[in-house]
Amino acid sequence: MPLARVNPSKTFFTALATLLLASPVSAQYKWVGPDGQLNYGDRPPSQEAQKMRAGVSAGRVLAAESGTTSDLPYATRTAASKAPVVLYAAADCNLCDQARRLLVERGIPFSEKQIRAKADLEAYKQAGFSDGSVPGLSVGPQRTQGFEATAWQGLLDSAGYPKSARLPESYKTPQAVSLASGKPALDGPAAAQAAAQEKLAQEKAAQEKLAQARAQQEKLQSERIRAAAMAANSEPGRFKF
């Protein structure tokens, strides 16, 4: 029985096509599984895998905002995507320093908003901290005022944050910013200069507001005098000009 001749070029292209079809390059979907491994497939990931992928994306965004390119640990990343942590503090505040230290030592990624001006205080109250006392903490939708370590730890526990975690060495906590303006909160001479400039701006705004009020008052007074004169000229027996 004669043997079938094998076409070497056909065999090569068949093997190449098989390899390409089996490779991740040809996969239509890519996702991170519950074990943190990267997966490929021709079908969309399960609902649980989609949630996982959303958590990874949120963690990367948070890492990028903090000036680092490293991903956060999985458990921390998941908690941060669901309940981001914000510390509200003020300058020269011992309790605020203790609160900040707790977050850092526990390995919590957080942003810090400073309460230094009247506008910051108003924004702080509008954010749900009615009495204006610091420090304040928000963990997702949950809020608390005043520092009490046990209560703060419990709030972080309920949000799913690990009791202890090590953030990547490249992770840097975002710089504290003014709550109202979003600008970096300054200390030392720079803070004094900024405060002086803000005071001058406030005084100038107050003067302009006062000048506008005076101009409006003078305008109303002029209109009253004119109306009275017109009424007097319209009475019988009086000369009209």
Side-chain angles (χ1 to χ4, degrees):
M1 181 178 181
L3 297 175
R5 298 183 62 183
V6 178
N7 189 333
S9 61
K10 183 177 180 180
T11 302
F12 170 77
F13 285 113
T14 301
L16 179 61
T18 303
L19 179 63
L20 289 176
L21 288 174
S23 68
V25 177
S26 64
Q28 299 178 10
Y29 301 95
K30 179 175 69 173
W31 69 93
V32 176
D35 57 356
Q37 298 297 319
L38 192 60
N39 298 279
Y40 298 89
D42 56 358
R43 295 182 179 181
S46 65
Q47 185 176 6
E48 185 65 27
Q50 290 178 2
K51 292 180 180 179
M52 179 71 63
R53 182 171 57 182
V56 171
S57 300
R60 286 176 176 169
V61 169
L62 183 57
E65 289 178 349
S66 65
T68 177
T69 57
S70 300
D71 289 342
L72 297 170
Y74 167 67
T76 302
R77 179 176 68 224
T78 302
S81 68
K82 298 177 180 178
V85 175
V86 181
L87 170 66
Y88 300 86
D92 301 322
C93 170
N94 182 52
L95 289 178
C96 299
D97 295 338
Q98 295 181 41
R100 189 181 300 106
R101 190 179 308 115
L102 180 148
L103 296 175
V104 171
E105 290 178 351
R106 181 159 170 170
I108 303 295
F110 67 96
S111 59
E112 181 175 337
K113 310 295 184 183
Q114 283 277 317
I115 316 299
R116 298 196 176 190
K118 184 177 180 180
D120 296 325
L121 182 59
E122 292 300 324
Y124 186 51
K125 291 180 178 180
Q126 291 176 6
F129 301 92
S130 56
D131 64 10
S133 62
V134 290
L137 178 73
S138 66
V139 183
Q142 303 299 321
R143 285 166 171 70
T144 185
Q145 283 183 266
F147 178 66
E148 204 286 308
T150 302
W152 281 42
Q153 296 281 19
L155 202 59
L156 295 168
D157 290 343
S158 63
Y161 282 94
K163 290 185 177 297
S164 62
R166 291 190 61 183
L167 298 179
E169 293 182 0
S170 57
Y171 179 86
K172 295 181 180 179
T173 301
Q175 183 177 3
V177 298
S178 163
L179 176 58
S181 68
K183 296 180 180 179
L186 305 175
D187 294 305
Q193 182 180 2
Q197 292 176 346
E198 182 179 359
K199 184 177 180 181
L200 288 175
Q202 292 176 349
E203 291 177 350
K204 182 178 179 181
Q207 292 174 356
E208 292 177 350
K209 187 175 181 179
L210 180 60
Q212 291 176 357
R214 287 177 177 174
Q216 183 68 17
Q217 187 177 7
E218 291 175 357
K219 181 180 179 181
L220 291 174
Q221 184 66 19
S222 177
E223 290 177 351
R224 290 194 192 100
I225 295 174
R226 182 178 178 183
M230 293 178 64
N233 289 335
S234 64
E235 293 180 4
R238 288 185 176 274
F239 294 101
K240 296 182 181 180
F241 298 95

Short mmCIF file of all heavy atoms in Angstrom, two decimals, residues 13-66:
data_model
loop_
_atom_site.label_atom_id
_atom_site.label_comp_id
_atom_site.label_asym_id
_atom_site.label_seq_id
_atom_site.Cartn_x
_atom_site.Cartn_y
_atom_site.Cartn_z
N PHE A 13 1.91 25.27 8.41
CA PHE A 13 0.86 26.27 8.56
C PHE A 13 -0.28 25.76 9.45
O PHE A 13 -0.91 26.52 10.19
CB PHE A 13 0.31 26.69 7.20
CG PHE A 13 1.25 27.60 6.45
CD1 PHE A 13 1.87 27.18 5.28
CD2 PHE A 13 1.54 28.87 6.93
CE1 PHE A 13 2.73 28.02 4.60
CE2 PHE A 13 2.41 29.71 6.26
CZ PHE A 13 3.01 29.28 5.08
N THR A 14 -0.55 24.44 9.39
CA THR A 14 -1.58 23.86 10.26
C THR A 14 -1.17 23.97 11.72
O THR A 14 -1.96 24.35 12.59
CB THR A 14 -1.82 22.40 9.89
OG1 THR A 14 -2.25 22.32 8.53
CG2 THR A 14 -2.89 21.78 10.80
N ALA A 15 0.09 23.68 12.00
CA ALA A 15 0.59 23.77 13.38
C ALA A 15 0.60 25.21 13.87
O ALA A 15 0.28 25.51 15.03
CB ALA A 15 2.00 23.17 13.45
N LEU A 16 0.96 26.13 12.96
CA LEU A 16 1.00 27.55 13.33
C LEU A 16 -0.39 28.06 13.66
O LEU A 16 -0.59 28.79 14.63
CB LEU A 16 1.60 28.36 12.18
CG LEU A 16 1.70 29.89 12.41
CD1 LEU A 16 2.59 30.17 13.62
CD2 LEU A 16 2.25 30.57 11.16
N ALA A 17 -1.38 27.64 12.85
CA ALA A 17 -2.77 28.08 13.10
C ALA A 17 -3.26 27.55 14.44
O ALA A 17 -3.94 28.24 15.20
CB ALA A 17 -3.67 27.61 11.96
N THR A 18 -2.93 26.28 14.73
CA THR A 18 -3.34 25.68 16.01
C THR A 18 -2.72 26.42 17.18
O THR A 18 -3.38 26.69 18.20
CB THR A 18 -2.92 24.20 16.05
OG1 THR A 18 -3.49 23.52 14.95
CG2 THR A 18 -3.37 23.56 17.37
N LEU A 19 -1.45 26.80 17.04
CA LEU A 19 -0.76 27.52 18.10
C LEU A 19 -1.37 28.88 18.33
O LEU A 19 -1.57 29.32 19.47
CB LEU A 19 0.73 27.65 17.74
CG LEU A 19 1.60 28.40 18.76
CD1 LEU A 19 1.61 27.65 20.09
CD2 LEU A 19 3.03 28.54 18.22
N LEU A 20 -1.70 29.58 17.26
CA LEU A 20 -2.29 30.92 17.39
C LEU A 20 -3.66 30.85 18.03
O LEU A 20 -4.02 31.70 18.85
CB LEU A 20 -2.38 31.58 16.01
CG LEU A 20 -1.06 32.03 15.38
CD1 LEU A 20 -1.30 32.58 13.98
CD2 LEU A 20 -0.36 33.07 16.24
N LEU A 21 -4.45 29.83 17.65
CA LEU A 21 -5.79 29.71 18.22
C LEU A 21 -5.72 29.40 19.71
O LEU A 21 -6.61 29.78 20.48
CB LEU A 21 -6.57 28.61 17.49
CG LEU A 21 -7.01 28.95 16.07
CD1 LEU A 21 -7.64 27.71 15.41
CD2 LEU A 21 -8.01 30.11 16.07
N ALA A 22 -4.69 28.73 20.12
CA ALA A 22 -4.56 28.34 21.53
C ALA A 22 -3.88 29.41 22.36
O ALA A 22 -3.84 29.32 23.58
CB ALA A 22 -3.77 27.03 21.64
N SER A 23 -3.32 30.43 21.74
CA SER A 23 -2.55 31.43 22.47
C SER A 23 -3.45 32.51 23.03
O SER A 23 -4.54 32.75 22.54
CB SER A 23 -1.50 32.06 21.55
OG SER A 23 -2.16 32.83 20.56
N PRO A 24 -3.01 33.24 24.09
CA PRO A 24 -3.80 34.33 24.67
C PRO A 24 -4.05 35.45 23.70
O PRO A 24 -4.99 36.21 23.86
CB PRO A 24 -2.91 34.80 25.84
CG PRO A 24 -2.03 33.63 26.16
CD PRO A 24 -1.80 32.95 24.85
N VAL A 25 -3.18 35.56 22.63
CA VAL A 25 -3.34 36.67 21.69
C VAL A 25 -4.68 36.60 20.99
O VAL A 25 -5.32 37.61 20.70
CB VAL A 25 -2.19 36.66 20.66
CG1 VAL A 25 -2.38 37.77 19.65
CG2 VAL A 25 -0.85 36.80 21.39
N SER A 26 -5.16 35.35 20.69
CA SER A 26 -6.41 35.20 19.96
C SER A 26 -7.62 35.26 20.86
O SER A 26 -8.75 35.25 20.38
CB SER A 26 -6.40 33.87 19.20
OG SER A 26 -6.35 32.78 20.13
N ALA A 27 -7.42 35.26 22.17
CA ALA A 27 -8.54 35.29 23.10
C ALA A 27 -9.26 36.63 23.02
O ALA A 27 -8.64 37.67 22.87
CB ALA A 27 -8.05 35.04 24.53
N GLN A 28 -10.59 36.58 23.13
CA GLN A 28 -11.38 37.80 23.06
C GLN A 28 -11.51 38.48 24.41
O GLN A 28 -11.82 39.66 24.49
CB GLN A 28 -12.78 37.48 22.51
CG GLN A 28 -12.75 36.89 21.11
CD GLN A 28 -14.15 36.54 20.64
OE1 GLN A 28 -15.13 36.91 21.27
NE2 GLN A 28 -14.24 35.83 19.53
N TYR A 29 -11.30 37.74 25.51
CA TYR A 29 -11.50 38.28 26.85
C TYR A 29 -10.27 38.01 27.72
O TYR A 29 -9.59 36.99 27.56
CB TYR A 29 -12.73 37.66 27.51
CG TYR A 29 -14.01 37.90 26.72
CD1 TYR A 29 -14.48 36.95 25.82
CD2 TYR A 29 -14.73 39.08 26.88
CE1 TYR A 29 -15.65 37.16 25.10
CE2 TYR A 29 -15.90 39.30 26.16
CZ TYR A 29 -16.35 38.34 25.27
OH TYR A 29 -17.50 38.57 24.57
N LYS A 30 -10.00 38.94 28.62
CA LYS A 30 -8.88 38.81 29.55
C LYS A 30 -9.34 39.34 30.90
O LYS A 30 -9.94 40.41 30.99
CB LYS A 30 -7.67 39.60 29.05
CG LYS A 30 -6.47 39.53 29.98
CD LYS A 30 -5.27 40.23 29.36
CE LYS A 30 -5.47 41.73 29.29
NZ LYS A 30 -4.26 42.44 28.84
N TRP A 31 -9.09 38.59 31.97
CA TRP A 31 -9.53 39.03 33.29
C TRP A 31 -8.64 38.41 34.37
O TRP A 31 -7.90 37.47 34.12
CB TRP A 31 -10.99 38.65 33.52
CG TRP A 31 -11.26 37.19 33.67
CD1 TRP A 31 -11.32 36.46 34.83
CD2 TRP A 31 -11.47 36.25 32.61
NE1 TRP A 31 -11.57 35.15 34.57
CE2 TRP A 31 -11.68 34.98 33.21
CE3 TRP A 31 -11.52 36.35 31.22
CZ2 TRP A 31 -11.91 33.84 32.46
CZ3 TRP A 31 -11.76 35.20 30.47
CH2 TRP A 31 -11.95 33.97 31.09
N VAL A 32 -8.77 38.99 35.57
CA VAL A 32 -8.03 38.49 36.73
C VAL A 32 -8.97 37.66 37.58
O VAL A 32 -10.06 38.12 37.95
CB VAL A 32 -7.45 39.64 37.57
CG1 VAL A 32 -6.77 39.11 38.82
CG2 VAL A 32 -6.47 40.45 36.73
N GLY A 33 -8.58 36.43 37.88
CA GLY A 33 -9.42 35.54 38.66
C GLY A 33 -9.31 35.80 40.14
O GLY A 33 -8.50 36.62 40.59
N PRO A 34 -10.12 35.10 40.96
CA PRO A 34 -10.10 35.26 42.42
C PRO A 34 -8.74 34.97 43.04
O PRO A 34 -8.43 35.46 44.11
CB PRO A 34 -11.15 34.25 42.91
CG PRO A 34 -12.06 34.06 41.73
CD PRO A 34 -11.17 34.17 40.52
N ASP A 35 -7.92 34.14 42.33
CA ASP A 35 -6.60 33.81 42.84
C ASP A 35 -5.55 34.83 42.43
O ASP A 35 -4.37 34.67 42.73
CB ASP A 35 -6.18 32.42 42.35
CG ASP A 35 -6.21 32.32 40.83
OD1 ASP A 35 -6.63 33.30 40.17
OD2 ASP A 35 -5.84 31.26 40.29
N GLY A 36 -5.98 35.89 41.72
CA GLY A 36 -5.06 36.92 41.30
C GLY A 36 -4.33 36.62 40.01
O GLY A 36 -3.50 37.41 39.55
N GLN A 37 -4.63 35.46 39.38
CA GLN A 37 -3.97 35.07 38.13
C GLN A 37 -4.70 35.67 36.94
O GLN A 37 -5.91 35.83 36.93
CB GLN A 37 -3.95 33.54 38.01
CG GLN A 37 -3.16 32.86 39.12
CD GLN A 37 -1.69 33.25 39.10
OE1 GLN A 37 -1.08 33.36 38.03
NE2 GLN A 37 -1.12 33.48 40.27
N LEU A 38 -3.92 35.98 35.89
CA LEU A 38 -4.46 36.53 34.65
C LEU A 38 -5.01 35.40 33.80
O LEU A 38 -4.35 34.38 33.59
CB LEU A 38 -3.36 37.27 33.89
CG LEU A 38 -3.80 38.16 32.73
CD1 LEU A 38 -4.73 39.26 33.21
CD2 LEU A 38 -2.57 38.77 32.05
N ASN A 39 -6.25 35.55 33.31
CA ASN A 39 -6.92 34.51 32.53
C ASN A 39 -7.30 35.03 31.15
O ASN A 39 -7.56 36.22 30.97
CB ASN A 39 -8.19 34.02 33.25
CG ASN A 39 -7.88 33.39 34.59
OD1 ASN A 39 -7.51 32.24 34.68
ND2 ASN A 39 -8.03 34.18 35.65
N TYR A 40 -7.36 34.10 30.17
CA TYR A 40 -7.76 34.42 28.81
C TYR A 40 -8.88 33.46 28.39
O TYR A 40 -8.93 32.32 28.87
CB TYR A 40 -6.59 34.28 27.83
CG TYR A 40 -5.43 35.20 28.10
CD1 TYR A 40 -4.40 34.81 28.96
CD2 TYR A 40 -5.37 36.46 27.51
CE1 TYR A 40 -3.33 35.66 29.22
CE2 TYR A 40 -4.29 37.31 27.76
CZ TYR A 40 -3.28 36.91 28.62
OH TYR A 40 -2.24 37.74 28.87
N GLY A 41 -9.76 33.90 27.52
CA GLY A 41 -10.80 33.02 27.03
C GLY A 41 -11.61 33.63 25.92
O GLY A 41 -11.52 34.83 25.65
N ASP A 42 -12.39 32.78 25.24
CA ASP A 42 -13.23 33.26 24.15
C ASP A 42 -14.66 33.55 24.62
O ASP A 42 -15.54 33.87 23.83
CB ASP A 42 -13.27 32.24 23.01
CG ASP A 42 -13.74 30.87 23.49
OD1 ASP A 42 -14.00 30.73 24.70
OD2 ASP A 42 -13.84 29.96 22.65
N ARG A 43 -14.89 33.44 25.95
CA ARG A 43 -16.17 33.78 26.53
C ARG A 43 -15.98 34.82 27.63
O ARG A 43 -14.92 34.87 28.25
CB ARG A 43 -16.84 32.53 27.13
CG ARG A 43 -17.21 31.48 26.08
CD ARG A 43 -17.91 30.31 26.73
NE ARG A 43 -18.30 29.31 25.74
CZ ARG A 43 -18.95 28.19 26.04
NH1 ARG A 43 -19.27 27.94 27.31
NH2 ARG A 43 -19.26 27.33 25.09
N PRO A 44 -16.98 35.65 27.86
CA PRO A 44 -16.83 36.69 28.89
C PRO A 44 -16.67 36.06 30.27
O PRO A 44 -17.18 34.96 30.52
CB PRO A 44 -18.14 37.49 28.79
CG PRO A 44 -19.12 36.56 28.16
CD PRO A 44 -18.32 35.71 27.21
N PRO A 45 -15.96 36.74 31.18
CA PRO A 45 -15.75 36.18 32.52
C PRO A 45 -17.06 36.13 33.30
O PRO A 45 -18.03 36.80 32.97
CB PRO A 45 -14.77 37.17 33.16
CG PRO A 45 -15.01 38.45 32.42
CD PRO A 45 -15.33 38.05 31.02
N SER A 46 -17.09 35.33 34.33
CA SER A 46 -18.27 35.22 35.18
C SER A 46 -18.50 36.53 35.92
O SER A 46 -17.64 37.42 35.93
CB SER A 46 -18.09 34.08 36.19
OG SER A 46 -17.02 34.40 37.07
N GLN A 47 -19.67 36.66 36.55
CA GLN A 47 -20.00 37.88 37.28
C GLN A 47 -18.99 38.13 38.39
O GLN A 47 -18.58 39.28 38.64
CB GLN A 47 -21.41 37.78 37.86
CG GLN A 47 -21.89 39.06 38.53
CD GLN A 47 -23.33 38.95 39.00
OE1 GLN A 47 -23.92 37.88 38.91
NE2 GLN A 47 -23.86 40.02 39.50
N GLU A 48 -18.58 37.08 39.07
CA GLU A 48 -17.61 37.22 40.16
C GLU A 48 -16.28 37.71 39.62
O GLU A 48 -15.61 38.57 40.22
CB GLU A 48 -17.42 35.88 40.87
CG GLU A 48 -16.52 35.96 42.10
CD GLU A 48 -17.13 36.82 43.19
OE1 GLU A 48 -18.36 36.94 43.25
OE2 GLU A 48 -16.34 37.40 43.97
N ALA A 49 -15.87 37.19 38.46
CA ALA A 49 -14.62 37.61 37.86
C ALA A 49 -14.69 39.07 37.42
O ALA A 49 -13.71 39.81 37.50
CB ALA A 49 -14.27 36.72 36.67
N GLN A 50 -15.86 39.50 36.94
CA GLN A 50 -16.02 40.89 36.55
C GLN A 50 -15.87 41.81 37.76
O GLN A 50 -15.29 42.89 37.67
CB GLN A 50 -17.38 41.08 35.88
CG GLN A 50 -17.49 40.43 34.52
CD GLN A 50 -18.87 40.59 33.92
OE1 GLN A 50 -19.74 41.21 34.51
NE2 GLN A 50 -19.08 40.02 32.76
N LYS A 51 -16.43 41.39 38.90
CA LYS A 51 -16.27 42.18 40.12
C LYS A 51 -14.81 42.27 40.51
O LYS A 51 -14.32 43.30 40.94
CB LYS A 51 -17.08 41.56 41.26
CG LYS A 51 -18.59 41.65 41.09
CD LYS A 51 -19.30 41.02 42.26
CE LYS A 51 -20.81 41.10 42.10
NZ LYS A 51 -21.51 40.45 43.24
N MET A 52 -14.10 41.16 40.35
CA MET A 52 -12.68 41.13 40.67
C MET A 52 -11.91 42.09 39.78
O MET A 52 -11.06 42.85 40.23
CB MET A 52 -12.14 39.71 40.48
CG MET A 52 -10.66 39.57 40.76
SD MET A 52 -10.35 39.72 42.52
CE MET A 52 -11.28 38.29 43.10
N ARG A 53 -12.26 42.09 38.49
CA ARG A 53 -11.57 42.97 37.55
C ARG A 53 -11.81 44.42 37.89
O ARG A 53 -10.93 45.26 37.80
CB ARG A 53 -12.05 42.67 36.12
CG ARG A 53 -11.35 43.52 35.07
CD ARG A 53 -11.69 43.03 33.67
NE ARG A 53 -13.11 43.01 33.42
CZ ARG A 53 -13.64 42.59 32.28
NH1 ARG A 53 -12.85 42.12 31.32
NH2 ARG A 53 -14.94 42.62 32.10
N ALA A 54 -13.04 44.75 38.33
CA ALA A 54 -13.36 46.13 38.73
C ALA A 54 -12.52 46.53 39.93
O ALA A 54 -12.03 47.67 40.02
CB ALA A 54 -14.84 46.25 39.07
N GLY A 55 -12.32 45.60 40.87
CA GLY A 55 -11.51 45.90 42.04
C GLY A 55 -10.06 46.15 41.67
O GLY A 55 -9.41 47.04 42.20
N VAL A 56 -9.54 45.38 40.72
CA VAL A 56 -8.16 45.57 40.26
C VAL A 56 -8.01 46.95 39.63
O VAL A 56 -7.06 47.68 39.90
CB VAL A 56 -7.77 44.46 39.25
CG1 VAL A 56 -6.44 44.78 38.61
CG2 VAL A 56 -7.72 43.12 39.96
N SER A 57 -8.96 47.34 38.79
CA SER A 57 -8.88 48.64 38.13
C SER A 57 -8.91 49.76 39.15
O SER A 57 -8.15 50.73 39.04
CB SER A 57 -10.05 48.79 37.14
OG SER A 57 -10.00 47.79 36.15
N ALA A 58 -9.79 49.66 40.14
CA ALA A 58 -9.87 50.71 41.16
C ALA A 58 -8.57 50.80 41.94
O ALA A 58 -8.10 51.89 42.26
CB ALA A 58 -11.03 50.41 42.10
N GLY A 59 -7.98 49.65 42.25
CA GLY A 59 -6.73 49.66 42.98
C GLY A 59 -5.62 50.33 42.18
O GLY A 59 -4.81 51.07 42.72
N ARG A 60 -5.60 50.08 40.86
CA ARG A 60 -4.57 50.70 40.04
C ARG A 60 -4.77 52.20 39.93
O ARG A 60 -3.82 52.97 39.91
CB ARG A 60 -4.59 50.06 38.65
CG ARG A 60 -3.99 48.65 38.66
CD ARG A 60 -4.08 47.97 37.32
NE ARG A 60 -3.42 46.67 37.34
CZ ARG A 60 -3.52 45.76 36.40
NH1 ARG A 60 -4.30 45.99 35.36
NH2 ARG A 60 -2.88 44.61 36.49
N VAL A 61 -6.02 52.64 39.86
CA VAL A 61 -6.28 54.08 39.82
C VAL A 61 -5.82 54.74 41.10
O VAL A 61 -5.17 55.77 41.10
CB VAL A 61 -7.79 54.35 39.60
CG1 VAL A 61 -8.11 55.82 39.81
CG2 VAL A 61 -8.20 53.93 38.20
N LEU A 62 -6.15 54.12 42.26
CA LEU A 62 -5.73 54.65 43.54
C LEU A 62 -4.22 54.70 43.63
O LEU A 62 -3.64 55.67 44.13
CB LEU A 62 -6.30 53.80 44.67
CG LEU A 62 -6.03 54.25 46.10
CD1 LEU A 62 -6.56 55.66 46.29
CD2 LEU A 62 -6.68 53.30 47.09
N ALA A 63 -3.55 53.65 43.14
CA ALA A 63 -2.10 53.64 43.17
C ALA A 63 -1.52 54.72 42.29
O ALA A 63 -0.54 55.38 42.64
CB ALA A 63 -1.58 52.26 42.71
N ALA A 64 -2.15 54.94 41.12
CA ALA A 64 -1.65 55.97 40.21
C ALA A 64 -1.81 57.36 40.82
O ALA A 64 -0.93 58.22 40.69
CB ALA A 64 -2.41 55.90 38.89
N GLU A 65 -2.93 57.60 41.52
CA GLU A 65 -3.15 58.90 42.12
C GLU A 65 -2.14 59.17 43.23
O GLU A 65 -1.83 60.31 43.53
CB GLU A 65 -4.57 58.97 42.69
CG GLU A 65 -5.65 59.04 41.62
CD GLU A 65 -7.03 59.07 42.21
OE1 GLU A 65 -7.17 58.81 43.42
OE2 GLU A 65 -7.99 59.34 41.46
N SER A 66 -1.63 58.13 43.86
CA SER A 66 -0.70 58.32 44.96
C SER A 66 0.74 58.43 44.47
O SER A 66 1.66 58.55 45.27
CB SER A 66 -0.81 57.15 45.94
OG SER A 66 -0.39 55.96 45.31
#
